[in-house]
Amino acid sequence: MKMKWILYLLLIPISIGFFDNNNQNYSKSQEIQANIIKHPERLPTPEAARLGSFGFANMSADMYWLRAVQYIGSNVVESDYKKYLYEMIEIITELNPYFESPYIIGQLLLPSSKDSFDDYSGKNITEDMLEAQALWQKWVKNFCDLNKVDAIINEPDLWKITTQAAYQNPCQSYKIPYYLAYVYYFYLKEPENAASYYKVVAAQSDAPQGAKILAGIMQWRSGEREKSLFMFLSLAQSLATKGETCGLLTSDLERVYYGLWDWSITLNGQLIRDIENARDRLIPKLTEENENEILDDTQCSNYLIKAIRELNLLYIQIADDRYVKDNPTEVSAMNTQALFENWYINFIPTDHQQYENQGIVYRYNDEIGRFDFEMGN
């Protein structure tokens, strides 16, 4: 008993020292993490990060991922996270090439604009797109059977792709070709490549039905508005959490889309008004405090707002086509007010993205020869 008490007494200072040492190491670790978030220019190379993981590469990848999320959140207002986001994701995916979340975030955020209402037109667009391209090439290489992917892209018969075993599940997840197709369509302006990767999506057994339908839509001779509308609805649905109001409204809008397609629903002012009222009930009005969250490229609400915008523009364009047919000497009514005053529309839709003195407006765009959206009064 005496020896036991002596051992206990000896263990007390050892335990205190061990606790104090761990506490200091933890504090130092927290300090290093904060330093990386505030000063990402000090990031190690992927090779150095691997050497510093001491055989625990997956655990190190998780730690870098947490830092990347904090870094994005700390720099979200002006999209400053884009400056070092690729470097962070490159480290994570080198430490753990089969960690999918960083690839997804990279695909959604790297090519996107800080101006949510327009395509990215900053001076670094080429660099951003090259980084995104390098990331998705690594993604496809690590997660897909490249021979199957090539076979699907070269197969024109969509029915064979969706039914024959030789084409099934070319990737570990539908998200890989799905987000890649989105980047091709909206940022690289390459609809043929987008259509090819939507075919790859169609071969995935885990793909949502809406994502599979996109493969067919991209092959149909439908207009760009219809394609964009359904693509945004599909993206919103893929990012919605179960039971979320955004996801419920997205499902309702998908049913409206099918109804418009088979002519069981008429695209008129009352329908546009009803959708706008539902949107304004379910999606909060934009403020300085909530704008970045609502219009974030990883949020269902961002893509739902864009889908409704495309539906509004489709409604306006159909009316403008009738106006031009009745007025062959004119190229367009030019604005929604003229269409309203001349009885071609009976409701002027308002975009959700509105601010105190300006917001998104719908006007005729000479460059593309149709109505489009822009920031204005």
Side-chain angles (χ1 to χ4, degrees), residues 111 149 155 238 245 261 308 314 323-324 336 348 354 356:
V149 169
E155 173 56 63
S238 74
T245 54
W261 193 255
I308 295 173
L314 179 61
Y323 177 90
V324 173
T336 54
I348 299 178
Q354 301 297 319
E356 187 174 351

Side-chain angles (χ1 to χ4, degrees), residues 115-128:
D115 299 319
S116 302
F117 57 88
D118 205 354
D119 290 331
Y120 187 63
S121 57
K123 62 182 179 181
N124 293 323
I125 184 169
T126 303
E127 183 182 346
D128 291 336

Side-chain angles (χ1 to χ4, degrees), residues 16-199:
I16 292 173
F18 181 76
F19 174 80
D20 185 60
N21 184 57
N22 275 325
N23 192 46
Q24 289 180 26
N25 287 339
Y26 176 76
S27 299
K28 189 64 179 176
S29 174
Q30 293 294 96
E31 182 183 333
I32 291 170
Q33 288 190 44
N35 196 41
I36 288 177
I37 294 166
K38 293 178 182 178
H39 300 283
E41 69 276 6
R42 300 175 187 172
L43 280 168
T45 63
E47 294 77 16
R50 180 172 289 280
L51 286 172
S53 68
F54 301 108
F56 296 95
N58 288 356
M59 187 180 297
S60 293
D62 291 339
M63 295 302 296
Y64 276 105
W65 173 238
L66 291 174
R67 295 169 196 170
V69 171
Q70 289 177 283
Y71 169 69
I72 293 168
S74 301
N75 296 276
V76 71
V77 176
E78 295 296 329
S79 295
D80 289 341
Y81 59 79
K82 290 165 70 73
K83 190 171 183 181
Y84 293 103
L85 179 59
Y86 176 72
E87 284 76 5
M88 286 186 163
I89 292 178
E90 177 71 1
I91 291 172
I92 297 164
T93 54
E94 283 298 311
L95 288 169
N96 184 359
Y98 304 105
F99 185 7
E100 191 175 33
S101 295
Y103 292 103
I104 295 173
I105 293 299
Q107 291 300 284
L108 290 172
L109 296 185
L110 277 173
S112 66
S113 168
K114 68 178 181 180
D115 299 319
S116 302
F117 57 88
D118 205 354
D119 290 331
Y120 187 63
S121 57
K123 62 182 179 181
N124 293 323
I125 184 169
T126 303
E127 183 182 346
D128 291 336
M129 288 311 306
L130 287 174
E131 290 175 346
Q133 187 177 41
L135 182 63
W136 78 56
Q137 286 173 343
K138 181 192 289 188
W139 192 4
V140 172
K141 178 183 175 183
N142 290 328
F143 283 79
C144 299
D145 181 332
L146 297 181
N147 291 327
K148 263 192 180 182
V149 169
D150 288 341
I152 290 168
I153 289 174
N154 292 319
E155 173 56 63
D157 191 335
L158 191 58
W159 184 83
K160 288 184 179 179
I161 291 170
T162 56
T163 58
Q164 294 188 6
Y167 299 110
Q168 295 302 293
N169 297 317
C171 299
Q172 294 180 33
S173 164
Y174 83 91
K175 295 177 182 178
I176 302 162
Y178 179 67
Y179 290 116
L180 175 53
Y182 167 68
V183 170
Y184 267 124
Y185 190 84
F186 282 102
Y187 294 111
L188 293 179
K189 310 300 182 187
E190 297 179 18
E192 294 82 8
N193 281 327
S196 293
Y197 277 95
Y198 277 124
K199 288 198 298 181

Side-chain angles (χ1 to χ4, degrees), residues 361-376:
V361 294
Y362 306 135
R363 291 177 182 155
Y364 182 78
N365 186 323
D366 291 313
E367 293 183 6
I368 62 174
R370 63 180 182 181
F371 267 79
D372 204 7
F373 62 95
E374 62 182 55
M375 186 62 74

